Amino acid sequence: MPRIKILPTLGGKSTFGYEGSILTGTEIHFGKEHKNKTKITAIQYTDLIGHFKGKTIIVGNSRRNRPPGSLGEWLKIWVTSATIATYVAKILVSEGYAKKEEGMAIRFY
């Protein structure tokens, strides 16, 4: 049975869970009691990391206004319209692909 890893969001205001890894793809569990789910494939992570490599970007987790060039905007275009940028940012930081910067920004390695 897959093990769900529970983490705080990048901002630390709530928690979420995920199964898998960036290398194999993830299923992210979020919302009340982590009942909502969305998947991100390993190929989508590869594209995401390649797109932002070496850049510092804002997370952009707003439901209505995801700033151009933000992680939230990229995810909305290429993965899902669900507001998951803060979860994906935390996964990227936790797995060593990015570093949390001041405020709600991350720097990709």
Side-chain angles (χ1 to χ4, degrees):
M1 180 173 214
R3 184 170 168 236
I4 297 176
K5 300 169 195 139
I6 304 295
L7 296 175
T9 59
L10 192 66
K13 294 181 181 177
S14 63
T15 63
F16 71 100
Y18 78 100
E19 299 174 62
S21 71
I22 288 174
L23 293 177
T24 63
T26 59
E27 181 174 86
I28 300 170
H29 304 253
F30 60 98
K32 189 175 182 176
E33 298 179 10
H34 303 160
K35 291 191 180 207
N36 299 320
K37 297 178 189 175
T38 193
K39 291 184 180 185
I40 303 178
T41 67
I43 292 170
Q44 288 168 320
Y45 277 116
T46 298
D47 291 345
L48 169 69
I49 292 164
H51 181 76
F52 290 115
K53 185 175 179 136
K55 296 178 183 173
T56 298
I57 61 164
I58 57 172
V59 173
N61 203 53
S62 170
R63 284 186 174 90
R64 295 189 180 136
N65 182 23
R66 298 177 195 178
S70 69
L71 178 61
E73 179 193 51
W74 192 95
L75 291 166
K76 183 178 180 182
I77 293 168
W78 299 104
V79 180
T80 179
S81 62
T83 309
I84 61 168
T86 191
Y87 314 129
V88 174
K90 184 65 175 198
I91 293 168
L92 289 161
V93 169
S94 294
E95 294 199 9
Y97 292 86
K99 176 184 175 189
K100 184 176 184 322
E101 296 288 336
E102 191 172 324
M104 289 298 287
I106 59 173
R107 181 174 54 85
F108 282 80
Y109 295 118

